[in-house]
Amino acid sequence: MTNASAMLTALGDPSRQAILDRLSTGPLSVGQLADELPISRPAVSQHLKVLKDVGLISDRQEGTRRIYQVDPEALAQLRRHLDGFWERSLAAFARRAARTEEHDRSNDDDSDH
C-alpha cells in the first residue's frame, strides 16, 4: 500500500475527515477538537493517532497539551496521487470516446453503400 493509499484508507472514516477538516483551518488540541465534534475525547485521540500514523498530521508539545496540525506536504502528496488518478481516468475516457466515434463513423460509411 502506498502512503497515498494509506492516507485515503484513513480518510475513509467520517470522523477522521471531520478532524482533518477542522485542522485545515489551524492547529488544535485534542480538547478543542472534542469540543467541536460529536465524539468523545478518547475517540478523537484514537483518530488523531491513525491520521498521524499515515502522515497526514503532526503534533507538538505545548505546555501540558499536544497540538495537532495538518502536514501540508502530506496533503500535496495526496493531491498528486489524486491528480494522477484523474489524469489517467480522463485519458481512458478520451480513448473510449475516440473509439466510439471511429466505430460510429465506420457504421455510417457502411450504411452509405
Side-chain angles (χ1 to χ4, degrees):
M1 181 182 288
T2 65
N3 198 33
S5 295
M7 289 179 201
L8 290 172
T9 299
L11 290 174
D13 184 285
S15 293
R16 290 185 205 126
Q17 291 173 24
I19 289 170
L20 192 68
D21 185 54
R22 297 300 193 291
L23 292 175
S24 70
T25 62
L28 294 169
S29 68
V30 174
Q32 290 170 314
L33 286 164
D35 287 346
E36 294 182 18
L37 298 169
I39 55 178
S40 69
R41 191 180 176 129
V44 170
S45 291
Q46 289 179 342
H47 289 300
L48 286 168
K49 179 182 181 328
V50 173
L51 292 171
K52 185 179 170 187
D53 286 348
V54 297
L56 281 168
I57 63 171
S58 61
D59 64 342
R60 68 178 187 281
Q61 190 73 34
E62 195 172 285
T64 58
R65 306 180 313 164
R66 297 209 71 76
I67 304 297
Y68 294 86
Q69 64 188 41
V70 171
D71 181 339
E73 179 51 38
L75 286 184
Q77 180 184 357
L78 186 59
R79 181 173 182 155
R80 286 191 298 272
H81 177 79
L82 292 173
D83 284 347
F85 178 79
W86 180 244
E87 288 168 10
R88 288 189 304 276
S89 296
L90 282 178
F93 177 77
R95 285 192 302 273
R96 176 71 177 172
R99 280 196 305 265
T100 300
E101 185 177 320
E102 184 179 308
H103 176 74
D104 290 349
R105 203 172 319 133
S106 174
N107 284 344
D108 287 345
D109 291 344
D110 289 343
S111 66
D112 290 342
H113 296 284

